[in-house]
Amino acid sequence: MSNRVIIGGQWGDEGKGKIVDAVGEGVDWVIRYQGGANAGHTIQAGGREHVLHLLPSGVFHEKARCFLGNGMVIDPWQLRDEIVALEEQDVRVRGRLFVAASAHLILPYHRRLDELREAKLRRRNIGTTGRGIGPAYVDKAWRHGMRMGDLLLPKENLERKVIEKVLDANEALSELYKSDPLPAEVIAEELVVLAKSLGPMIVNPYEALAGVREGRESALFEGAQGTLLDFDHGTYPFVTSSNCSVGGAVTGTGLPPRCLGEVLGVFKAYCTRVGNGPFPTELLADEAECLRQLGGEYGATTGRPRRCGWFDLLAGRYAVDLNGMTGLYITKLDVLDSQAALQVAIAYELDGQRLESFPVRAELLTRCRPVYREFPGWGSATTACRRLAELPGPARRYLEFIETSLGAPIRGISVGRGRDETIWTPNGVNAA
Ligand code: GDP
Ligand code: IMO
Ligand code: MG
């Protein structure tokens, strides 16, 4: 089986969790490689809905091993809670979860700094998830962070290190934000306890992933967030703090590019965004509310209402090109079932000029007005469809247009939340 990287093609929440779960049968490893608990990946398994923030969505395939790569920032309290919650539902995690010793830790001061900075920025804020992601990556880049491997230190050394870091952060909290100090010793004691339970999972990624590197074991790489939230290539500064695009799978695991295999993009049949920043095809008022209700568009991590809008071909092509996507999955087609007509942005207008390529700079994007092409709706339910031929004609034509315009074959169409509510189209939708 060829390895695959599953990447969000928009601003996150495209349905990556559902797709990773749906295609994950039989893989040896499912690997997260960037981000942290800012992700919220929703999966239906065993008759329940699960939201994973740190664990890979392959965890519901019993035989798969799960890996948290060095590119991640991991809140150990959250990790323990997620493991316990799954084990209480009879999903075995211990023994099949491995964590890179070089992944960074998110400590309570990262969350506090995230919240305080957002509050200070007021209306100019990013709208982060408040999970401490930005400050943790700052410490990593500043060579000041703690890593999962530190949890393997002798107790006294670990305690000393944590206390030193918290006291240091307390200075910043008080000087920059006039905020109360955090209890260094309590945090150190808690980490010692966490180190006991998480310690057995912490490994050297070079050794643990040797089978993947040598081609003996297969891997499914699970991206978090989406291409337009990429730290370097997204709508900066309204982005997250990691590389959500394909390069992150290399730097975030230590595996060479030849191990990646296929790069598959997940796109919603429309668009959503949580948090602030430009969103040219955004709908307002009642139209947005209609999609939000139909699609259940509330953040899986923070519960915030997601901003909703039409499919954007310029943004989509940018994501396909940037990642070298070799195939696509379109999700939530069923959410559009009752729309009388659909719009797709085929160009933008900026200062009287027509643009056909995505001007990723936030300053420009904010001023772009979409030029739409209208498609007729189909007015019938698609959730029960399992073959392309069962989809209503207008739905097929909508997908054919997206496939042709994005220039990569649609490999699957998701028409509901469940693993099976998917139409597999290995040869694309135009070839069928
Ligand atoms: P992720 O972050 O990319 O994994 O996506 P989220 O889990 O944050 O958001 C996707 C939401 O859409 C979840 O609630 C999924 O259960 C749901 N979902 C995924 N695919 C479909 C689909 O085809 N149809 C419908 N109606 N819901 C879907
Ligand atoms: P999944 O993996 C959607 C957004 C936040 C904010 C910006 C920065 O579920 O698709 P951060 O907390 O990362 O510093 O916030 O990025 N964001 C997401 N939006 N889905 C996500 O993850 C996101 N993770 C972060 O809303 O705008
Ligand atoms: Mg999500």
Side-chain angles (χ1 to χ4, degrees):
M1 186 190 295
S2 161
N3 291 345
R4 287 161 295 176
V5 192
I6 307 284
I7 289 184
Q10 295 157 325
W11 279 285
D13 303 328
E14 298 90 348
K16 299 174 292 293
K18 141 126 199 199
I19 295 294
V20 168
D21 175 66
V23 304
E25 183 74 51
V27 297
D28 294 315
W29 290 96
V30 185
I31 305 176
R32 278 271 318 260
Y33 52 86
Q34 43 74 228
N38 48 350
H41 296 182
T42 316
I43 295 111
Q44 306 268 317
R48 293 179 190 225
E49 183 169 280
H50 304 266
V51 180
L52 301 176
H53 300 286
L54 288 169
L55 295 178
S57 303
V59 73
F60 300 104
H61 293 286
E62 260 176 62
K63 293 199 178 122
R65 278 170 286 166
C66 295
F67 199 82
L68 306 185
N70 60 278
M72 291 187 71
V73 283
I74 298 173
D75 178 333
W77 285 266
Q78 169 77 33
L79 181 57
R80 180 211 40 209
D81 291 351
E82 232 172 284
I83 295 169
V84 169
L86 280 184
E87 295 203 328
E88 277 172 0
Q89 293 165 28
D90 295 324
V91 181
R92 188 174 65 84
V93 181
R94 282 165 209 275
R96 25 188 308 253
L97 173 67
F98 301 85
V99 185
S102 40
H104 274 250
L105 283 175
I106 292 198
L107 293 170
Y109 52 83
H110 293 122
R111 278 180 177 247
R112 178 74 70 83
L113 285 165
D114 193 1
E115 284 160 13
L116 290 168
R117 174 147 186 85
E118 285 282 284
K120 191 170 177 179
L121 287 170
R122 297 198 187 182
R123 282 186 26 248
R124 289 180 300 115
N125 71 346
I126 306 290
T128 72
T129 59
R131 296 299 187 266
I133 304 297
Y137 280 114
V138 165
D139 276 355
K140 173 178 177 175
W142 218 354
R143 294 147 296 169
H144 194 264
M146 285 189 67
R147 311 206 292 181
M148 286 300 292
D150 289 326
L151 299 184
L152 301 174
L153 288 170
K155 177 174 176 283
E156 290 71 30
N157 299 16
L158 172 60
E159 275 173 343
R160 201 173 328 118
K161 193 160 187 179
V162 175
I163 289 173
E164 194 183 295
K165 297 287 179 195
V166 179
L167 293 180
D168 199 53
N170 279 344
E171 277 182 33
L173 285 169
S174 113
E175 279 168 29
L176 290 175
Y177 299 104
K178 312 273 173 282
S179 171
D180 293 339
L182 291 166
E185 274 159 29
V186 175
I187 295 172
E189 270 168 40
E190 288 186 20
L191 264 181
V192 167
V193 175
L194 285 166
K196 273 221 177 72
S197 83
L198 300 178
M201 305 170 189
I202 301 172
V203 295
N204 172 347
Y206 176 74
E207 287 168 7
L209 298 177
V212 179
R213 187 170 49 253
E214 291 159 15
R216 289 181 282 109
E217 293 170 345
S218 60
L220 185 58
F221 298 83
E222 176 176 355
Q225 292 78 54
T227 301
L228 303 176
L229 288 173
D230 183 285
F231 192 31
D232 287 280
H233 305 290
T235 52
Y236 191 89
F238 301 100
V239 293
T240 189
S241 302
S242 66
N243 286 119
C244 329
S245 60
V246 67
V250 173
T251 55
T253 58
L255 287 166
R258 69 174 153 74
C259 292
L260 302 189
E262 287 220 64
V263 181
L264 299 157
V266 185
F267 292 82
K268 255 178 219 180
Y270 48 98
C271 258
T272 62
R273 174 164 204 166
V274 208
N276 297 328
F279 180 3
T281 61
E282 181 169 17
L283 288 166
L284 300 172
D286 291 354
E287 284 182 306
E289 191 53 31
C290 170
L291 272 184
R292 188 173 301 126
Q293 293 309 327
L294 290 167
E297 296 295 356
Y298 293 88
T301 298
T302 57
R304 289 178 291 176
R306 294 176 181 149
R307 299 158 65 192
C308 298
W310 296 120
F311 196 88
D312 185 333
L313 277 186
L314 284 76
R317 263 200 306 267
Y318 177 71
V320 169
D321 291 345
L322 191 78
N323 293 293
M325 287 173 181
T326 52
L328 314 173
Y329 296 106
I330 304 292
T331 62
K332 304 190 94 160
L333 184 73
D334 56 297
V335 173
L336 299 178
D337 285 348
S338 57
Q339 296 290 322
L342 313 170
Q343 311 294 332
V344 175
I346 53 164
Y348 295 152
E349 254 178 38
L350 175 65
D351 302 334
Q353 304 255 25
R354 184 181 165 102
L355 300 186
E356 307 227 345
S357 146
F358 190 64
V360 65
R361 274 179 55 209
E363 300 80 0
L364 296 180
L365 210 48
T366 312
R367 293 193 284 120
C368 285
R369 298 285 158 262
V371 178
Y372 286 119
R373 171 157 167 185
E374 185 169 292
F375 287 79
W378 43 91
S380 61
T382 53
T383 295
C385 299
R386 291 294 172 273
R387 290 187 311 118
L388 192 60
E390 291 166 18
L391 280 180
R396 288 211 303 276
R397 279 183 286 284
Y398 180 68
L399 294 166
E400 284 161 9
F401 179 72
I402 289 178
E403 180 180 87
T404 305
S405 311
L406 294 188
I410 295 176
R411 299 285 174 72
I413 303 147
S414 176
V415 288
R417 291 166 173 254
R419 197 184 270 182
D420 302 329
E421 287 169 336
T422 316
I423 299 171
W424 300 111
T425 52
N427 301 318
V429 297
N430 279 287

